[in-house]
């Protein structure tokens, strides 16, 4: 009986080629889709695990925005290839201040391995015994203090604006620009006079909510929009991101960096050829710097150093405007702020001028990439195979 049923079933299938085609196509689709998704997920997990490992050990990142580069570097290291320098040297600065970011200079002890262009304002924050790292995005080391917070640690370094031959621009440079951020970005929208740019920002915005379905306010209309839809439909030449203040007490810094990496990679996928500016979060005043909570400059600096790791000096750049507004100890100057966090309206012109002075032209990027390929520079951050950042 069962044999007869089986024979009848086989006869039906044999006589119906359409059923065979459907079954075959479904099997192939399932195997292919499941395999590619599994591979992509495994790569993402490997990239993020490597980021966390390098944050903990202090070793350098090459180009965190390009996950394939990281995996290739990891494989090379696992096979016995040249690894990264695994011992970051701490500065010899005496004393532990309760603010991170800037340290009052006691001498001009600066070690420079190569000539480069650096803002004079940034040089002012280098303190005694600090060592300047000579990579695309450079970090000035100092002696960190111990923290017991589960949200952050003292990074033990300050990230400088990505070293690059920036071009002086004017208002027209921002006609194809988008700014994504929180209340500080809202201040730039209101008072910097960049009328041609699109601003997508809200009080309380975070890197975790930026691409969520709740949306972000488009300042030209006052309406909530879906950033996923905007970034896939409208083409921008440059995108500025400044997020991290509202994340100070949510998750820890490695978690923040992982999400930032995902956002930057997604934007690069949706906006091929775009120039991305990762903007440092502005420090708070001495009065607002609260070591009893997570709202302090050590935490802000920890987030800034993390986000600066994403800069590669090719299409992702880190911009730090803190030296324009902070004192020698890294606090936001009290006479520039009405609440210890946000600037008075009349001071946003400094921020605007800073943005004008740090323009990057797409044509220069294409030429730089071409020169790199000819010279064997490749995807690394230095001509001798040095990593893009430490």
């Amino acid at each position: 009986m069962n044999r007869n049923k089986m024979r009848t079933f086989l006869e039906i299938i044999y006589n119906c080629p359409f059923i065979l085609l459907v079954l075959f196509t479904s099997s192939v689709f399932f195997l292919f889709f499941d395999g590619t998704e599994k591979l992509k997920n495994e790569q993402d997990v490997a990239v993020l695990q490597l980021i966390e490992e390098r944050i903990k050990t202090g070793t350098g990142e090459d180009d965190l925005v390009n996950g394939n580069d990281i995996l290739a570097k990891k494989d090379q290291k696992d096979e016995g290839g040249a690894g990264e320098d695994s011992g970051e040297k701490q500065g010899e600065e005496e004393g532990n201040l309760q603010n991170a970011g800037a340290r009052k200079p006691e001498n001009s002890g600066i070690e420079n391995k190569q000539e480069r262009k650096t803002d004079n304002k940034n040089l002012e924050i280098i303190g005694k015994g600090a060592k300047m790292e000579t990579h695309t995005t450079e970090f000035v080391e100092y002696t960190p203090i111990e923290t017991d917070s589960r949200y952050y640690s003292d990074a033990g370094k300050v990230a400088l604006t990505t070293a690059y031959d920036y071009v002086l621009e004017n208002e027209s440079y921002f006609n194809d620009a988008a700014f994504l951020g929180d209340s500080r970005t809202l201040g730039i929208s209101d008072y910097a006079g960049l009328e041609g740019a699109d601003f997508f920002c809200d009080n309380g915005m975070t890197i975790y909510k930026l691409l969520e379905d709740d949306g972000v306010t488009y300042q030209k209309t006052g309406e909530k929009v879906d950033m996923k839809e905007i970034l896939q439909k409208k083409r921008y030449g440059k995108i500025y991101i400044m997020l991290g203040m509202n994340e100070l007490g949510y998750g820890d810094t490695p978690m923040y960096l992982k999400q930032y990496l995902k956002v930057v990679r997604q934007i690069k996928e949706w906006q091929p050829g775009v120039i991305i500016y990762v903007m440092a979060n502005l420090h708070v005043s001495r009065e607002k710097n609260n070591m009893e909570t997570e709202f302090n400059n050590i935490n802000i600096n920890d987030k800034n150093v993390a986000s600066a790791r994403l800069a590669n000096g090719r299409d992702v750049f880190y911009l730090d405007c803190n030296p324009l507004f902070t004192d020698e100890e890294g606090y936001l100057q009290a006479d520039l702020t009405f609440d210890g966090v946000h600037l008075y309206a009349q001071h946003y012109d400094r921020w605007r001028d800073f943005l004008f002075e740090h323009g990057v032209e797409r044509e220069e990027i294409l030429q730089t990439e071409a020169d790199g390929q000819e010279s064997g520079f490749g995807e690394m951050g230095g001509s001798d195979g040095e990593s893009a950042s430490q």
Side-chain angles (χ1 to χ4, degrees):
M1 184 70 177
N2 291 335
R3 184 177 300 176
N4 292 334
K5 289 183 177 180
M6 178 61 68
R7 182 181 302 170
T8 301
F9 176 72
L10 293 175
E11 289 175 353
I12 293 174
I13 294 179
Y14 180 78
N15 291 321
C16 297
F18 178 73
I19 296 178
L20 290 175
L21 180 61
V22 171
L23 292 174
F24 177 76
T25 304
S26 300
S27 300
V28 171
F29 176 79
F30 175 79
L31 290 174
F32 176 77
F33 180 78
D34 182 68
T36 55
E37 284 298 309
K38 182 177 181 181
L39 177 61
K40 182 178 183 299
N41 291 336
E42 288 177 350
Q43 288 179 336
D44 286 342
V45 169
V47 170
L48 296 176
Q49 287 177 341
L50 187 57
I51 292 173
E52 188 167 4
E53 172 188 341
R54 290 181 172 184
I55 292 175
K56 291 179 180 178
T57 61
T59 52
E61 288 77 10
D62 296 329
D63 179 2
L64 296 185
V65 179
N66 192 331
N68 293 329
D69 290 346
I70 300 179
L71 294 175
K73 182 73 174 181
K74 183 176 185 295
D75 292 340
Q76 182 183 19
K77 183 177 179 181
D78 293 341
E79 292 172 4
E84 295 86 354
D85 181 8
S86 61
E88 289 191 346
K89 298 180 180 179
Q90 295 182 341
E92 299 175 354
E93 180 187 8
E94 298 177 355
N96 292 328
L97 302 179
Q98 286 195 343
N99 65 298
R103 289 298 187 269
K104 185 175 182 179
E106 299 178 18
N107 63 24
S108 56
I110 303 172
E111 258 187 89
N112 231 343
K113 296 180 182 178
Q114 60 187 22
E115 292 184 1
R116 61 170 180 80
K117 179 179 179 182
T118 303
D119 297 336
N120 291 333
K121 285 287 186 180
N122 281 334
L123 290 178
E124 294 176 4
I125 68 174
I126 300 174
K128 179 180 178 181
K131 179 181 287 296
M132 179 173 293
E133 301 166 359
T134 54
H135 300 288
T136 303
T137 300
E138 298 175 352
F139 297 79
V140 177
E141 298 176 355
Y142 62 85
T143 303
I145 68 172
E146 294 185 4
T147 62
D148 58 1
S149 173
R150 63 188 179 92
Y151 297 102
Y152 69 94
S153 60
D154 193 332
K157 61 178 69 176
V158 181
L160 305 183
T161 291
T162 301
Y164 189 81
D165 290 330
Y166 294 102
V167 179
L168 180 62
E169 304 286 357
N170 54 35
E171 288 88 346
S172 63
Y173 180 74
F174 300 90
N175 290 343
D176 65 345
F179 286 76
L180 318 179
D182 51 31
S183 58
R184 263 82 171 275
T185 304
L186 189 58
I188 298 176
S189 174
D190 289 340
Y191 306 117
L194 303 178
E195 302 298 334
D198 285 344
F199 284 85
F200 303 92
C201 44
D202 282 306
N203 292 325
M205 181 53 59
T206 70
I207 194 68
Y208 306 104
K209 298 192 295 184
L210 184 64
L211 300 182
E212 292 300 313
D213 294 338
D214 290 343
V216 187
T217 301
Y218 179 37
Q219 295 303 316
K220 287 184 178 179
T221 64
E223 297 178 351
K224 289 278 188 179
V225 296
D226 188 336
M227 283 307 307
K228 300 187 297 298
E229 181 178 348
I230 295 294
L231 292 172
Q232 291 179 76
K233 287 187 175 181
K234 184 169 182 178
R235 184 68 180 272
Y236 290 101
K238 63 276 302 184
I239 292 179
Y240 295 79
I241 309 174
M242 183 168 56
L243 290 165
M245 290 300 292
N246 299 301
E247 294 86 336
L248 296 181
Y250 181 82
D252 56 15
T253 300
M255 176 180 171
Y256 167 77
L257 176 57
K258 290 177 184 180
Q259 182 63 24
Y260 217 132
L261 170 62
K262 289 182 180 180
V263 169
V264 170
R265 289 179 66 182
Q266 185 63 77
I267 291 176
K268 286 166 69 73
E269 179 181 334
W270 289 336
Q271 299 277 324
V274 71
I275 301 167
I276 298 177
Y277 295 95
V278 175
M279 298 175 66
N281 294 286
L282 194 62
H283 288 186
V284 297
S285 68
R286 184 185 297 271
E287 181 183 2
K288 283 290 185 179
N289 189 67
N290 189 344
M291 296 304 298
E292 300 300 320
T293 69
E294 283 64 50
F295 197 78
N296 57 68
N297 286 333
I298 290 180
N299 195 0
I300 294 172
N301 184 63
D302 199 32
K303 301 298 186 291
N304 285 345
V305 168
S307 63
R309 296 172 184 270
L310 300 174
N312 56 29
R314 296 189 301 276
D315 57 0
V316 183
F317 300 83
Y318 176 75
L319 300 181
D320 181 18
C321 69
N322 273 291
L324 298 175
F325 306 112
T326 56
D327 60 24
E328 291 180 329
E329 293 180 330
Y331 296 112
L332 180 60
Q333 297 177 37
D335 60 337
L336 302 180
T337 175
F338 59 90
D339 61 357
V341 180
H342 302 88
L343 298 174
Y344 285 117
Q346 63 266 30
H347 300 303
Y348 279 94
D349 59 348
R350 294 195 207 177
W351 210 326
R352 178 198 61 215
D353 293 342
F354 176 82
L355 296 177
F356 283 176
E357 295 166 0
H358 291 82
V360 175
E361 298 292 344
R362 186 178 291 103
E363 290 76 12
E364 293 180 356
I365 292 177
L366 294 176
Q367 183 60 47
T368 300
E369 291 178 347
D371 293 342
Q373 291 175 358
E374 292 177 1
S375 64
F377 190 88
E379 291 295 327
M380 301 298 292
S383 57
D384 297 323
E386 295 178 343
S387 60
S389 61
Q390 290 287 337

